[in-house]
Amino acid sequence: MGKTTFSGPVRSLAGFNPAGYGTFVDFDGTVASTALTVAAHGGRILTVNDADHTFTLPSIVGTVPSDVTDPGQLCNIGAIFRFFIVTPSTGVNINTDGTDKYLGYIGVVHHNATTSKWFHAIVADSFDAIDLNGTTKGGLEGSYIEIEAMATAKYRVSGVTLGSSTLVTPFATS
């Protein structure tokens, strides 16, 4: 089945089971940066096989369309981006457009599980970047971050990253 648009709630009595080649997008280091889009990256698992990559999330558009059933509407509230680190990071960055801010938390767990720290972001912090370095800020293989467009200028973030050394926040301002 091709791209399908529903204008009302969708109900499944047995759940949804996304599977197959189209459920992930692999970033293998052939390019240094990627401007993410809802159409090409939203709802998929973004496997990061590149130690040094910069991602830029799309600007959040919260404008209520004149026809809420229009599949071509620009509103992207609810779009989800899932990052799974496969190759240890030395400089993976997940940036917003600078206007949108992060709201939520990221846990950084020491790779030998002796320590962990939880870092949170509130809109007043003005964090618009997540920087993973594979050590203090996390980003070792197995790290996972989920980001969702929640409201105008607000991306919800949650995740657990694996790091080493003295753990510090991966949240930053660009």
Side-chain angles (χ1 to χ4, degrees), residues 106-119 133-143 160-168:
I106 295 176
V108 183
V109 177
H110 198 282
H111 70 91
N112 64 14
T114 58
T115 59
S116 65
K117 288 190 176 182
W118 294 87
F119 300 97
N133 62 7
T135 58
T136 59
K137 298 178 180 184
L140 293 175
E141 62 270 24
S143 297
V160 176
T161 67
L162 304 172
S164 63
S165 192
T166 301
L167 306 178
V168 298

Side-chain angles (χ1 to χ4, degrees), residues 23-114:
T23 60
F24 68 92
V25 179
D26 186 49
F27 294 92
D28 60 5
T30 55
V31 296
S33 63
T34 303
L36 300 174
T37 66
V38 174
H41 307 103
R44 293 175 172 83
I45 297 171
L46 309 176
T47 56
V48 184
N49 278 298
D50 182 3
D52 186 19
H53 197 96
T54 298
F55 297 94
T56 303
L57 295 163
S59 297
I60 297 175
V61 178
T63 307
V64 178
S66 56
D67 178 1
V68 296
T69 65
D70 178 7
Q73 63 178 280
L74 300 177
C75 180
N76 60 3
I77 299 291
I80 297 174
F81 301 90
R82 297 176 183 99
F83 298 86
F84 184 70
I85 306 295
V86 179
T87 299
S89 168
T90 57
V92 170
N93 303 299
I94 307 169
N95 302 325
T96 72
D97 63 1
T99 301
D100 298 331
K101 306 300 178 200
Y102 288 122
L103 178 64
Y105 70 91
I106 295 176
V108 183
V109 177
H110 198 282
H111 70 91
N112 64 14
T114 58

